[in-house]
Amino acid sequence: MEGFLNQLPIGLSIGAVLLLIALGLTFTFGQMGVINMAHGEFIMAGAYTAYLLQGWTGRAAVLVALPVAFVVAGALGLILERLAIRHFYGRPLDTLLLTWGVSLVLQQLARDLFGAPNVQVQAPEWLQGGPGIMPYSRMFILALAIGSVVAVWAYLNRTGQGRRMQAVMQNRRLAATSGIDTGRVDMRTFFIGSGLAGVAGVALTLIGPVGPALGTYYIVDAFLVVVAGGLGQLRGAVIAAAALGLLNSFAEFWTDASLAKVIVFVAIVGFLQFRPQGLFVLKSRALT
Amino acid sequence: MRNSAWRTAIPLVALVATLGACGAEPATSQQAGGGEDSIKVGILHSLSGTMAISEVTVRDAELLAIEEINAAGGVLGKKLVPVVEDGASDWPTFAEKATKLIARDKVATVFGGWTSASRKAMLPVFERRKALLWYPVQYEGLESSPYIFYTGATTNQQIVPGLEYLKEQGKKKIFLVGSDYVFPRTANKVIKAYAAANGMQVIGEEYTPLGHTEYSTLVNKVVQAKPDAVFNTLNGDSNVAFFKQLKSAGATAESLPTMSVSVAEEEVKGIGVDNIAGHLVAWNYYQTTENAANGKFVAAFKAKYGADKVTSDPMEAGYNAVYLWAEAVKKAGSVEVEAVRKAAGGIELERPEGLVTIDGENQHMFKTARIGVVQPDGLIKEVWNSKEPIKPDPYLKGYPWATGLAQG
């Protein structure tokens, strides 16, 4: 029974990880419609940022790296958007191939820069251990996920920039005719979306491997959350992440890891049969 | 018009030039195994993809052996020339690149592979073309191809000694954790058969997909089951996630020791010493193994690749493979495959792991089993060894409890 009860916090903490890795995608994929396969590599860039900062800051690297990784991954995203993706807006399949190629290049680059073996990022002393099955590192990730969601929500709803971003997402042409510089808004959206991937990467150093293939382990899960939650819907992503985390945790408890993955996928496919738009749909009066 | 005609012409010219270059190349390397004063040998490991993390270092060790052999005058008076190919962590690619090395480059032998899946993909290629493969990694046994030499451990030289050690320590209740593919599943069959015959109890068996990184549920199951020890056959990056999450759930090497068969010095660095110090591993070689040959190997490896590099069991087995093949060639007086195979049986060499002898019958090696404990400095200290090299027994014929495993 104790083992069973433990699965509840475990499910929530899996959900927190899912939410963190998917949050950036709700911007780039959800709001802009760009299928960015390199999103996983921005997560990797965040993790390596923590690794590099370790040389200066020691065990505090994880904390210091949060803002730095946001800027590093965001800058990478900005470069990608300016140099390549912006020429492919409205062509999702081409973007998919392009960004997949970019992700392979970034993985190889990491391999050349840091070597093929995993590197180690030491967790701060105060994040080690914890009561029972819910370690401090998991609580930290949960808190970070909640903090990120609140920050993103506030940005979207309480700032002019955020409102312009939502306007462009809801109706790009109307926003443009109303005098919004949509190119600038696109850049900003991509910067924030990629930056959030960097933040997720720092958090993942606490629980997983830090190596060139890091991004590939999380990219599919990230897309799952965004699709199930409804494109561009913050609350959809939050609920989908929590639901998938719990489903995963209990399914794995009763079966095994491989079967749990199957169950989660079947559940999502079944769910999308009834609600192809995901949990929440943006209501607008646009004809498209 | 003129412009577009040029556009067609340029790639055509380039294409013709490339074809010409390709056509000219084999002419200089027609002779089997290389030219007048050189012998070509193939090296085939994953240099990209998920397995690159492990295989790149084996390639490095093999290249070091080739360099050393060349510096000492080569083999039969000829220099060894390595032809390196990338298996890309993709099993069909291994078969394809093996065919290329044998048919186009006409290499004398190939050193390569890591996962059992890659070996199984290459096996028919080598058997059909009657070419030689030297496979440098411990594996699940139950195989003995006439065209493969196995320089890593088979089950009775690694997993069985690991179990014997746990039994000696009074660990009776064992929990099995592994990646979901052929090696862990076969290894666990062996472990279950051993446990049943030796009064040990397997109280749990869990598999996770390769590349799995979310271990909190599995750790919860292990902690709830309260085993005396965990036998870990996870592979690759999953080990990092497993040990990090095991540690943060409060399990220590004292309260819940693990015995790993795919974690060596190289992996310890990525897992983080904090997370794995004190846990057990089973291999045939550690960087700290004491003998003259190892001192030389470690020094040469660090000199070539950097002082922060470590040496591990699969690297040492790859390094040995090149020396053992060279020794067989010297004894045979030729690089011809059948002659080398015939000459190889009984060859004895002092290697970094100690004395290694080729068993001519199944083409595996006599190897000394060693159990080690991960130290706070990231190296592994030996706490037990089998005293003498163990005869390889890939089908476990010499173990009464293993009857029936070979068929299953």
Side-chain angles (χ1 to χ4, degrees):
Chain A
M1 194 58 202
E2 192 199 340
F4 174 79
L5 287 180
N6 281 342
Q7 289 306 117
L8 199 70
I10 286 175
L12 288 178
S13 82
I14 297 176
V17 172
L18 289 174
L19 183 58
L20 261 187
I21 57 177
L23 204 53
L25 266 192
T26 61
F27 278 82
T28 54
F29 178 47
Q31 310 230 2
M32 294 171 69
V34 172
I35 302 180
N36 181 16
M37 297 298 285
H39 189 77
E41 277 57 47
F42 295 156
I43 296 179
M44 173 191 80
Y48 273 117
T49 304
Y51 168 67
L52 286 179
L53 283 175
Q54 201 169 224
W56 287 287
T57 61
R59 281 182 176 252
V62 171
L63 279 190
V64 181
L66 286 173
V68 181
F70 182 82
V71 175
V72 169
L76 276 176
L78 199 60
I79 294 170
L80 180 66
E81 199 267 345
R82 279 295 98 183
L83 289 184
I85 290 177
R86 94 187 141 109
H87 304 292
F88 291 87
Y89 281 140
R91 291 156 64 188
L93 287 181
D94 296 341
T95 323
L96 185 146
L97 287 178
L98 170 81
T99 52
W100 190 57
V102 170
S103 89
L104 292 181
V105 170
L106 289 177
Q107 281 175 42
Q108 195 57 43
L109 195 67
R111 205 166 276 133
D112 291 341
L113 284 176
F114 304 104
N118 287 315
V119 297
Q120 188 201 357
V121 178
Q122 288 195 316
E125 300 280 0
W126 50 271
L127 275 183
Q128 305 204 336
I133 202 72
M134 189 71 175
Y136 292 132
S137 54
R138 293 279 180 168
M139 293 186 196
F140 176 75
I141 291 177
L142 193 60
L144 185 63
I146 294 171
S148 304
V149 168
V150 170
V152 165
W153 181 85
Y155 177 78
L156 284 178
N157 295 293
R158 291 280 179 271
T159 68
Q161 284 186 3
R163 290 206 194 89
R164 282 196 286 279
M165 198 179 279
Q166 294 202 53
V168 171
M169 181 196 77
Q170 290 175 8
N171 194 325
R172 175 173 291 268
R173 284 165 70 189
L174 189 57
T177 30
S178 313
I180 295 178
D181 183 348
T182 58
R184 270 189 89 78
V185 172
D186 285 343
M187 280 165 64
R188 216 174 273 139
T189 311
F190 223 87
F191 179 80
I192 295 175
S194 309
L196 286 170
V199 171
V202 176
L204 290 178
T205 62
L206 294 174
I207 55 168
V210 183
L214 168 65
T216 59
Y217 301 138
Y218 296 100
I219 185 76
V220 174
D221 288 343
F223 274 105
L224 279 185
V225 171
V226 177
V227 171
L231 295 187
Q233 297 297 305
L234 195 55
R235 57 185 170 155
V238 173
I239 294 171
L244 290 180
L246 286 169
L247 177 61
N248 200 312
S249 127
F250 284 105
E252 188 179 337
F253 185 72
W254 281 310
T255 60
D256 60 55
S258 307
L259 206 54
K261 272 217 155 79
V262 176
I263 292 171
V264 167
F265 272 88
V266 169
I268 288 177
V269 170
F271 173 72
L272 290 179
Q273 293 296 316
F274 297 105
R275 289 192 73 99
Q277 305 297 316
L279 273 175
F280 294 99
V281 188
L282 174 71
K283 292 189 184 70
S284 87
R285 275 177 282 177
L287 289 172
T288 45
Chain B
M1 263 329 274
R2 203 181 163 79
N3 207 345
S4 74
W6 264 111
R7 279 192 194 158
T8 335
I10 291 170
L12 261 179
V13 170
L15 185 67
V16 170
T18 322
L19 283 176
C22 290
E25 190 208 9
T28 56
S29 55
Q30 272 308 318
Q31 300 91 333
E36 284 296 302
D37 52 358
S38 68
I39 300 172
K40 279 205 223 175
V41 294
I43 290 184
L44 176 48
H45 288 291
S46 299
L47 310 180
S48 57
T50 177
M51 287 312 298
I53 174 177
S54 306
E55 293 191 55
V56 164
T57 59
V58 180
R59 174 205 60 181
D60 290 346
E62 286 162 356
L63 289 175
L64 173 66
I66 289 173
E67 196 175 274
E68 288 176 359
I69 290 172
N70 284 342
V75 178
L76 304 177
K78 296 178 183 182
K79 290 265 185 283
L80 301 181
V81 182
V83 183
V84 181
E85 283 292 345
D86 179 7
S89 308
D90 177 56
W91 325 138
T93 305
F94 268 95
E96 191 185 299
K97 292 289 171 76
T99 312
K100 184 241 166 199
L101 283 171
I102 301 165
R104 252 194 70 205
D105 297 318
K106 306 208 184 306
V107 295
T109 186
V110 175
F111 305 97
W114 177 292
T115 62
S116 290
S118 70
R119 188 191 66 254
K120 297 260 185 222
M122 290 189 285
L123 184 141
V125 175
F126 283 92
E127 291 193 344
R128 194 166 56 238
R129 294 180 177 270
K130 299 200 187 314
L132 263 195
L133 171 67
W134 293 74
Y135 174 74
V137 183
Q138 45 76 232
Y139 81 114
E140 68 280 2
L142 307 181
E143 187 182 295
S144 172
S145 164
Y147 292 97
I148 300 181
F149 280 87
Y150 305 79
T151 61
T154 177
T155 33
N156 76 314
Q157 299 164 317
Q158 185 193 24
I159 288 172
V160 175
L163 288 165
E164 273 162 8
Y165 181 78
L166 288 179
K167 189 183 161 195
E168 223 170 75
Q169 299 290 309
K171 310 286 182 203
K172 286 204 160 10
K173 287 191 288 179
I174 310 286
F175 200 109
L176 308 181
V177 175
S179 294
D180 205 351
Y181 74 107
V182 55
F183 166 68
R185 285 203 178 255
T186 316
N188 284 348
K189 265 191 213 164
V190 172
I191 294 172
K192 281 187 282 185
Y194 178 93
N198 287 277
M200 288 161 91
Q201 206 186 340
V202 173
I203 57 169
E205 183 179 6
E206 289 283 334
Y207 298 95
T208 61
L210 270 175
H212 194 66
T213 51
E214 181 54 75
Y215 280 92
S216 40
T217 304
L218 191 142
V219 166
N220 183 28
K221 284 184 185 177
V222 173
V223 170
Q224 296 300 321
K226 299 193 176 62
D228 296 335
V230 172
F231 206 101
N232 166 28
T233 44
L234 289 173
N235 251 263
D237 292 358
S238 291
N239 273 311
V240 182
F242 175 66
F243 279 105
K244 275 188 182 174
Q245 294 170 30
L246 190 68
K247 164 103 190 292
S248 61
T252 62
E254 290 76 42
S255 67
L256 189 57
T258 67
M259 171 75 75
S260 304
V261 291
S262 299
V263 173
E265 286 86 344
E266 189 73 35
E267 285 76 22
V268 167
K269 279 203 298 187
I271 291 169
V273 177
D274 285 4
N275 300 312
I276 195 179
H279 286 281
L280 298 161
V281 294
W283 291 102
N284 306 101
Y285 164 86
Y286 301 112
Q287 183 174 319
T288 55
T289 303
E290 277 177 23
N291 66 52
N294 189 34
K296 202 177 133 246
F297 171 52
V298 173
F301 195 86
K302 284 180 184 276
K304 187 166 159 72
Y305 297 108
D308 58 333
K309 293 283 186 289
V310 291
T311 57
S312 68
D313 182 288
M315 290 157 69
E316 192 255 0
Y319 179 75
N320 291 350
V322 180
Y323 273 97
L324 289 163
W325 170 79
E327 200 60 30
V329 168
K330 282 178 203 161
K331 195 169 148 197
S334 138
V335 296
E336 202 265 317
V337 171
E338 299 301 334
V340 171
R341 281 187 54 216
K342 216 164 280 160
I347 282 181
E348 261 186 16
L349 281 183
E350 271 304 333
R351 304 307 308 148
E353 69 182 67
L355 188 71
V356 172
T357 313
I358 302 181
D359 186 330
E361 203 182 311
N362 53 32
Q363 304 194 157
H364 288 60
M365 312 294 137
F366 285 75
K367 292 167 84 81
T368 308
R370 299 170 195 280
I371 308 297
V373 173
V374 178
Q375 300 297 299
D377 63 356
L379 294 178
I380 298 168
K381 192 183 87 186
E382 183 179 307
V383 289
W384 179 93
N385 69 51
S386 61
K387 307 264 175 357
E388 55 186 14
I390 302 174
K391 182 179 162 59
D393 188 356
Y395 294 94
L396 296 171
K397 285 179 193 146
Y399 299 82
W401 49 265
T403 345
L405 280 178
Q407 286 83 39

